[in-house]
Amino acid sequence: MVAAVDQAMDAAGLTNPHVREYVNYWAELTGAERVEVVSASDDSRLIKESLAAGEILPAGDGLYYSRSYFKDTARSEERTIVASNNPSDAGVYNNWRSAEEMRPLLEGKMRGASAGKTMYVIPYLMAPPGSPLEAYAAGVELTDHRTVALHMIRMSRVGVDFVNNLADPNSFVRAVHVTGDLENLGQGTPEDQRYFVTIGDERTILHFGSSYGGNALLGKIAHGLRQAAYDGWASGEFLAEQFMLVGITDKKTGKKYHICGGFPSASGKTNLAMTLAPDALGDRYYVEFYGDDIAWLRVDPEDGKIYAINPEFGVFGVAKDTNAATNPGALDSVAPGTQSLFTNIAYNADTNEVWWEGKTPEPPADVTGWADWKGNLISERAEGDDSPWAHPNSRFTTTLANVPNIAADFENPKGVPIDAVIFGGRTRDREPLIRAITDLAEGVYDGLTLGAEATFAAEGVDGQLRYDPMSMRPFMAYPEGAYAAHWLKVIGQAKDQPIFAHVNWFQRDPEDGHFLWPGYRENLRPLLWLMELKNGEVKGRQTPVGIIPTKDELNLDGLEIKPEDLDTILTIDNDRWRQEMGHREKHLKQFDGLPESIWEAHRRITADLEAEG
Ligand code: GDP
Ligand code: PGA
Ligand code: MN
Ligand code: MN
């Protein structure tokens, strides 16, 4: 086998001796029958092979569809662990375990588990080439699942050059993915066999028991977020956050702004980055997409500005409710010919069409040929079965170049300078449309107390409120107190301080449940107000929890909204907020070593709410 593995690497020109040793080790351990090194140029051949094997199905010209195992449709936070060799790395959310315990456990599960399969070797880079953070960006994913390789080619830059020419040839992330026998892993039971482990200080990722994107595309979440967050902290150099990243140009003034921000999974990052359409608001602005899920932030020592890069190469977006009105950009980016992949939506095997809830107001009237995401024919459904045709966390995968509003300079290795950092989530009451925060500690405090309703992107209960610090709860790699201190330190170095804001597109009417704010493309309006506030062009109204826009400051041209709904989303509900502060106190008390300035912010806001209430 060793000879065959070396031959495969020779043929692909994979020369880095450390990578070769790593590949040999895991080929032997997992018992893979053969090894294949993947580059982006292998995509069309891999697509053909996957079609022939029935792993993907044709979904129109240059479009493909796949189903994942029905118990394997989302990230699993309880099964996710950030391990290390240092017990003081244990935080509240990282489920810390010792590397000493985890490595043999995972090796045990993976031993022989790829027998009869091909092990795909995927050298990748999670950064635009030439980035100052490139040293943290290289990795090699090993996977025994071909569709994972197809996804990785879309979501990251893939090719042997990314690891052959490393300044330090040993400085790549070792990322091993073994699917396991999905039908016998006890998903969600006390006998759950799945383990998704990142060993932070060994820069090693070992994921066993899933082929779903969020668990199996190791460059994206495990490396791009967990490992990078750990590296950013350990090196003191940068932050890795679950952030979208957009550029907004005001054609009238010629100014360009860059905004990044964290919302928990399935709370609107991808939509925000894609839907703020160029023609919005009378063609005065144009909005460019830089990223929709991950940003790495550093302060440039020369000009003292905060720069953000999107380490990804593609978009892994939620399909539900994507349509020509909500997100035309997303539809364009998965149009025929884009080589996009769909996962777990509804599929018509006769016509190769796809559908998901919200794509059109009603599902296709003629159900002939249509099957739901589990593959069950709609025509054979029991009377009264109105379960969704697509899984609520069904996804599309496409490369950045397909996104219509992709920024011209999206591969600029330096990244873009940041003007604002926003946080948001699904909150049906209390949180106004936008509240701006001008103080760093208060901004970090706001991120740490981000609370939102659970969504389907992670296993959990839809509709239940939970705290999700900076939207990083599922990716937290080291203790939360140190995380807050690292934020204060990194951003504190910046000469130009960003403005912070908390946004909420999801406030609902308590009676009939309708969204009070139209959302989607209209979300540009509060962001423009935020930039005007930063420029000193508007004043807003100071409240204990931040500055909120007055009605006349917000651009409402052509907006359809009921006056009473607008009043509600521009108002602070003092009673609800005072109640919230008690929950926040409990939440923050879990974290050891939280910087005093965070507690000061908490006390200041609590006192201000009391004084007003
Ligand atoms: P992400 O996972 O954070 O990237 O979130 P997405 O942008 O994929 O959105 C998740 C879900 O929220 C999708 O079903 C969207 O249609 C929906 N969504 C996104 N933005 C808005 C908005 O402004 N208003 C409403 N009502 N729904 C939204
Ligand atoms: P999302 O990205 O934030 O768009 O849902 C994927 C994930 O976080 O699993
Ligand atoms: Mn995400
Ligand atoms: Mn997204």
Side-chain angles (χ1 to χ4, degrees):
M1 181 64 184
V2 173
V5 173
D6 281 331
Q7 262 169 26
M9 293 191 283
D10 287 344
L14 181 58
T15 55
N16 181 324
H18 299 279
V19 174
R20 292 174 69 106
E21 190 190 326
Y22 155 72
V23 172
N24 267 305
Y25 180 85
W26 286 98
E28 168 80 28
L29 188 141
T30 60
E33 193 173 299
R34 69 194 85 77
V35 159
E36 191 182 319
V37 181
V38 173
S39 282
S41 57
D42 294 314
D43 190 56
S44 54
R45 178 181 50 82
L46 291 170
I47 288 274
K48 278 193 204 111
E49 290 173 11
S50 280
L51 283 167
E55 297 156 354
I56 58 173
L57 301 164
D61 172 31
L63 299 174
Y64 311 96
Y65 172 64
S66 71
R67 293 188 177 99
S68 66
Y69 180 60
F70 77 102
K71 292 181 185 170
D72 187 32
T73 55
R75 280 188 283 102
S76 174
E77 286 172 26
E78 339 57 73
R79 307 302 304 167
T80 300
I81 289 161
V82 181
S84 77
N85 293 279
N86 187 351
S88 70
D89 286 348
V92 174
Y93 294 130
N94 67 351
N95 297 330
W96 184 88
R97 304 272 280 275
S98 78
E100 230 169 41
E101 179 195 355
M102 285 298 109
R103 185 180 272 280
L105 192 143
L106 268 291
E107 290 198 345
K109 302 223 172 275
M110 291 176 171
R111 187 161 288 117
S114 303
K117 296 187 181 177
T118 298
M119 187 175 93
Y120 297 91
V121 176
I122 309 170
Y124 64 82
L125 188 72
M126 293 300 290
S131 158
L133 294 174
E134 196 173 316
Y136 304 101
V140 180
E141 174 162 359
L142 309 178
T143 178
D144 60 7
H145 209 283
R146 185 159 31 202
T147 55
V148 170
L150 294 176
H151 280 83
M152 279 293 288
I153 287 173
R154 284 155 183 73
M155 295 303 298
S156 64
R157 295 162 176 90
V158 171
V160 292
D161 289 347
F162 297 123
V163 294
N164 278 345
N165 307 319
L166 295 172
D168 170 0
N170 202 16
S171 72
F172 60 95
V173 169
R174 290 156 166 81
V176 186
H177 167 245
V178 172
T179 306
D181 178 6
L182 294 174
E183 285 169 34
N184 292 294
L185 294 175
Q187 292 95 332
T189 72
E191 284 76 47
D192 206 321
Q193 299 296 304
R194 301 171 298 165
Y195 276 91
F196 308 118
V197 179
T198 299
I199 307 178
D201 55 355
E202 295 182 7
R203 305 194 78 224
T204 295
I205 297 162
L206 304 172
H207 279 208
F208 174 79
S210 170
S211 72
Y212 165 74
N215 298 323
L217 309 181
L218 302 187
K220 179 180 175 58
I221 281 169
H223 181 167
L225 285 170
R226 295 191 192 100
Q227 182 66 55
Y230 193 94
D231 290 346
W233 170 58
S235 66
E237 270 191 54
F238 67 106
L239 301 166
E241 304 296 328
Q242 184 182 218
F243 277 4
M244 63 88 215
L245 177 59
V246 290
I248 302 176
T249 300
D250 181 340
K251 294 188 199 171
K252 202 163 135 192
T253 63
K255 277 196 187 156
K256 184 168 181 189
Y257 305 98
H258 298 98
I259 301 179
C260 63
F263 312 170
S265 224
S267 300
K269 293 180 302 298
T270 301
N271 274 272
L272 189 62
M274 277 189 172
T275 61
L276 300 173
D279 57 351
L281 299 176
D283 207 28
R284 170 162 168 193
Y285 303 94
Y286 66 89
V287 179
E288 289 166 282
F289 180 107
Y290 284 93
D292 75 319
D293 197 42
I294 305 178
W296 292 2
L297 279 67
R298 54 179 269 282
V299 172
D300 189 276
E302 263 157 43
D303 62 13
K305 291 184 183 168
I306 305 164
Y307 284 88
I309 59 162
N310 170 15
E312 302 196 85
F313 194 60
V315 178
F316 181 60
V318 173
K320 185 172 188 275
D321 289 332
T322 302
N323 59 54
T326 58
N327 193 348
L331 290 187
D332 287 350
S333 62
V334 298
T338 54
Q339 300 296 321
S340 304
L341 308 172
F342 297 101
T343 310
N344 290 342
I345 56 181
Y347 178 72
N348 190 318
D350 298 345
T351 62
N352 297 346
E353 288 169 287
V354 294
W355 189 81
W356 52 83
E357 271 66 26
K359 184 169 190 255
T360 52
E362 297 296 328
D366 179 2
V367 301
T368 314
W370 281 100
D372 66 16
W373 67 274
K374 291 183 182 173
N376 297 325
L377 283 173
I378 302 294
S379 58
E380 288 174 11
R381 280 193 160 188
E383 193 76 32
D385 179 353
D386 55 2
S387 59
W389 289 24
H391 189 279
N393 189 39
S394 57
R395 298 268 171 170
F396 61 86
T397 309
T398 194
T399 53
L400 292 179
N402 289 327
V403 175
N405 66 324
I406 187 72
D409 60 343
F410 84 93
E411 298 210 89
N412 176 352
K414 189 170 184 183
V416 291
I418 291 299
D419 297 284
V421 178
I422 65 178
F423 298 110
R426 284 175 182 266
T427 317
R428 61 181 62 235
D429 62 3
R430 183 176 52 76
E431 277 295 355
L433 178 65
I434 185 166
R435 48 186 178 86
I437 297 164
T438 52
D439 171 71
L440 171 60
E442 217 166 291
V444 173
Y445 165 80
D446 187 71
L448 294 174
T449 52
L450 171 55
E453 289 155 28
T455 66
F456 281 106
E459 290 163 358
V461 190
D462 200 38
Q464 196 175 300
L465 219 72
R466 60 173 213 162
Y467 287 104
D468 189 340
M470 303 217 186
S471 77
M472 284 292 280
R473 176 172 169 153
F475 319 111
M476 213 38 108
Y478 58 97
E480 289 76 7
Y483 176 86
H486 185 49
W487 254 89
L488 293 171
K489 186 191 115 186
V490 172
I491 304 299
Q493 289 163 1
K495 271 212 303 269
D496 295 342
Q497 284 292 298
I499 193 165
F500 288 84
H502 198 106
V503 300
N504 182 24
W505 322 138
F506 298 97
Q507 214 180 129
R508 288 174 185 261
D509 183 290
E511 308 277 299
D512 66 12
H514 79 266
F515 289 109
L516 301 186
W517 173 252
Y520 295 104
R521 313 181 87 186
E522 312 298 355
N523 296 334
L524 180 56
R525 299 168 191 265
L527 299 183
L528 292 173
W529 172 83
L530 184 66
M531 293 302 99
E532 287 169 5
L533 183 74
K534 194 178 183 218
N535 291 340
E537 293 154 21
V538 295
K539 291 251 162 330
R541 185 163 67 81
Q542 182 71 54
T543 78
V545 292
I547 304 166
I548 60 179
T550 63
K551 251 190 279 188
D552 45 315
E553 287 171 353
L554 206 57
N555 183 334
L556 299 172
D557 294 351
L559 183 74
E560 276 177 46
I561 185 168
K562 287 197 219 152
E564 61 270 29
D565 288 356
L566 185 64
D567 286 338
T568 306
I569 62 175
L570 296 180
T571 309
I572 300 298
D573 179 343
N574 195 292
D575 289 345
R576 283 285 288 108
W577 269 99
R578 279 186 294 169
Q579 208 176 31
E580 165 67 10
M581 296 310 278
H583 300 315
R584 287 186 171 190
E585 187 143 334
K586 259 208 238 143
H587 161 66
L588 293 177
K589 273 194 174 144
Q590 304 174 90
F591 306 146
D592 288 335
L594 208 57
E596 188 48 32
S597 62
I598 301 297
W599 282 117
E600 275 164 19
H602 178 74
R603 287 193 294 266
R604 191 163 63 233
I605 295 166
T606 308
D608 288 354
L609 283 164
E610 293 298 333
E612 268 202 7

